[in-house]
Amino acid sequence: MLSTQEALDAVLAAARPLGQRETVDTLAANGRVLAADVIATLDVPPMDTSAMDGYAVRSADLQGGETVLPVSQRIPAGHAPEPLASGTAARIFTGAPVPRGADAVVMQEQCEVRDDGSVVIRHSPAEGEFVNRQGADIRRDSVVLAAGTRLTAPALGLAASVGIAKLQVARRLRVAVFFTGDELTMPGEALRAGSIYNSNRFVLRSLLENLGCEMTDYGIVPDNLAATRAILRDAARANDLIITSGGVSVGEEDHVKPAVEAEGRLTLWQIALKPGKPLAYGEVNRASGETAHFIGLPGNPVSSFVTFLLFVRPFILRLQGVTDVTPRRIAMRADFTQTKADRRNEFVRARINALGGLEAFPNQSSAVLTSTVWGDGLIDNPPGHRIEAGQTVAFLPFSDLLY
């Protein structure tokens, strides 16, 4: 069996970016991946602005102690000021342009307005005090967001701050999903003898939606080879990636593996990973001679969830053009002992406790979906390694992996 890293390297090596792009409104680009650099069209801020409500002054006019200056103008944000006359102050508000001739702002708490409208200033500011200089944040013609960036709320705000109304993004990935197992039943239907509800459908669909994929859901496919092959052929026609859940192990009723081998090829199968050993990667042929990517996930709910986070998520991001798909690994203290070492790379469901350490869910079975809701993330525990209380471990937070 391949190690987790060997398998991930092999999967990502096959994930060549699609290279197809479209233009969308910046307001509609949340979660998309940039296909071209965003270049600043102006300086930000576009002029010197005030960082405080107060008075714009010439620092040379204030020589210590109290200084009384007449107020020559009032400058709200969004209004163009007149040049500041020597020996005067300008009433100014946060974000308003600093008038030519002024080189500092004194906050209003250090000033007192007299009845005649003049202002007593009780502070001698340094040049540049409380002035946001033009271009202090962004310089015109600089790259503010690089191609391959996945657009988040702050990134969209940054694009908007330089006047970008439309963005070039990678087209959405087209993904087909289906689920195998005659025991599967949908919520809302009565459970038959020996049947279970199909939780994986809800988990995988939600994860794919979070990644901005266009999805074709074929639902539950009967446990037979002919039906599985037919769905694979249909799914390959119009989709970039086919994801299945279940049927990739070695049982007599596991038909996905032989179906993929009949309709294409498998290049990776079984990983030294817990949970998630029977992960598969390959390709399904199209009539055109091209292929669609295939990833087969295990049927156990935790195994399906974990392998999606570790393999499918970075694979999808790489297809969309994201270059850095490595999840954060945070060094944290284990506040529990795991006495048995596994020969596989184990990903332990854990949560952060009130002391800032990690505690593990008591039941690490691959069928216990409760652990994924209870937990805050996964501990990446190397093969053959026992976890002792007080040790530093590598923690992958779900907050980085679910979106």
Side-chain angles (χ1 to χ4, degrees):
M1 290 185 290
L2 294 176
S3 70
T4 302
Q5 191 59 54
E6 288 171 336
L8 181 59
D9 289 345
V11 168
L12 291 181
R16 292 175 292 277
L18 298 176
Q20 300 171 11
R21 62 180 65 181
E22 58 189 9
T23 300
V24 300
D25 290 341
T26 302
L27 275 172
N30 188 38
R32 304 296 292 271
V33 176
L34 272 179
D37 293 346
V38 174
I39 308 297
T41 59
L42 74 168
D43 291 334
V44 178
M47 74 290 287
D48 289 354
T49 59
S50 177
M52 289 283 180
D53 290 347
Y55 292 87
V57 297
R58 298 173 187 266
S59 57
D61 290 340
L62 304 173
Q63 299 298 322
E66 293 187 357
T67 304
V68 179
L69 295 175
V71 178
S72 56
Q73 59 181 308
R74 184 176 183 273
I75 315 171
H79 291 256
E82 298 293 328
L84 183 68
S86 180
T88 71
R91 179 67 166 125
I92 196 166
F93 299 90
T94 303
V98 174
R100 185 162 52 86
D103 62 8
V105 172
V106 180
M107 71 173 85
Q108 62 188 17
E109 291 83 355
Q110 295 171 317
C111 304
E112 180 184 346
V113 179
R114 288 185 165 184
D115 292 340
D116 63 2
S118 62
V119 62
V120 180
I121 299 176
R122 299 190 174 94
H123 174 66
S124 299
E127 184 178 340
E129 189 167 326
F130 293 127
V131 174
N132 291 326
R133 294 296 187 188
Q134 178 176 343
D137 184 13
I138 299 169
R139 287 292 184 184
R140 181 179 179 139
D141 296 327
S142 63
V143 176
V144 294
L145 293 168
T149 298
R150 192 164 178 228
L151 293 166
T152 59
L156 293 174
L158 186 58
S161 75
V162 295
I164 305 299
K166 294 183 180 294
L167 294 165
Q168 290 188 60
V169 297
R171 74 156 171 84
R172 293 187 187 277
L173 197 70
R174 293 188 284 268
V175 181
V177 293
F178 66 87
F179 307 84
T180 65
D182 288 342
E183 76 278 12
L184 297 178
T185 300
M186 286 297 292
E189 301 173 357
L191 280 177
R192 308 177 309 278
S195 64
I196 59 172
Y197 286 122
N198 184 7
S199 61
N200 286 350
R201 189 177 190 184
F202 293 83
V203 173
L204 297 183
R205 281 182 59 110
S206 298
L207 291 169
L208 289 168
E209 287 170 3
N210 290 347
L211 289 169
C213 299
E214 292 181 0
M215 204 180 330
T216 303
D217 183 354
Y218 287 90
I220 300 169
V221 175
D223 266 340
N224 69 73
L225 182 61
T228 306
R229 289 185 64 177
I231 293 294
L232 285 173
R233 287 194 298 270
D234 191 66
R237 285 189 300 106
N239 292 283
D240 307 299
L241 170 64
I242 304 166
I243 298 174
T244 63
S245 173
V248 290
S249 194
V250 293
E252 291 182 9
E253 297 300 322
D254 291 323
H255 299 293
V256 173
K257 180 177 180 288
V260 174
E261 290 173 327
E263 297 295 333
R265 63 193 182 104
L266 279 182
T267 57
L268 181 151
W269 182 57
Q270 294 198 338
I271 302 169
L273 171 69
K274 182 181 179 182
K277 172 184 172 183
L279 179 82
Y281 170 78
E283 296 173 325
V284 177
N285 297 327
R286 297 179 179 140
S288 64
E290 299 177 329
T291 59
H293 296 286
F294 166 82
I295 297 180
L297 302 179
N300 277 328
V302 178
S303 299
S304 178
F305 174 68
V306 169
T307 50
F308 186 101
L309 299 185
L310 297 179
F311 295 94
V312 181
R313 180 181 181 275
F315 185 81
I316 286 174
L317 292 176
R318 182 64 59 82
L319 287 178
Q320 293 177 326
V322 178
T323 51
D324 184 6
V325 297
T326 304
R328 282 194 306 159
R329 281 172 162 76
I330 303 172
M332 296 190 68
R333 184 188 69 250
D335 285 349
F336 66 95
T337 295
Q338 181 174 287
T339 56
K340 185 179 178 182
D342 198 281
R343 61 188 178 85
R344 293 173 287 169
N345 186 181
E346 184 174 11
F347 285 82
V348 180
R349 281 87 78 197
R351 73 176 177 188
I352 303 169
N353 60 30
L355 300 176
L358 295 172
E359 55 188 80
F361 193 74
N363 186 347
Q364 292 289 320
S365 165
S366 60
V368 181
L369 200 55
T370 311
S371 62
T372 63
V373 177
W374 175 92
D376 296 317
L378 303 168
I379 295 172
D380 183 354
N381 190 36
H385 183 260
R386 295 173 61 245
I387 298 176
E388 300 282 353
Q391 281 185 343
T392 298
V393 294
F395 183 66
L396 285 67
F398 284 149
S399 58
D400 288 2
L401 297 173
L402 297 181
Y403 301 95

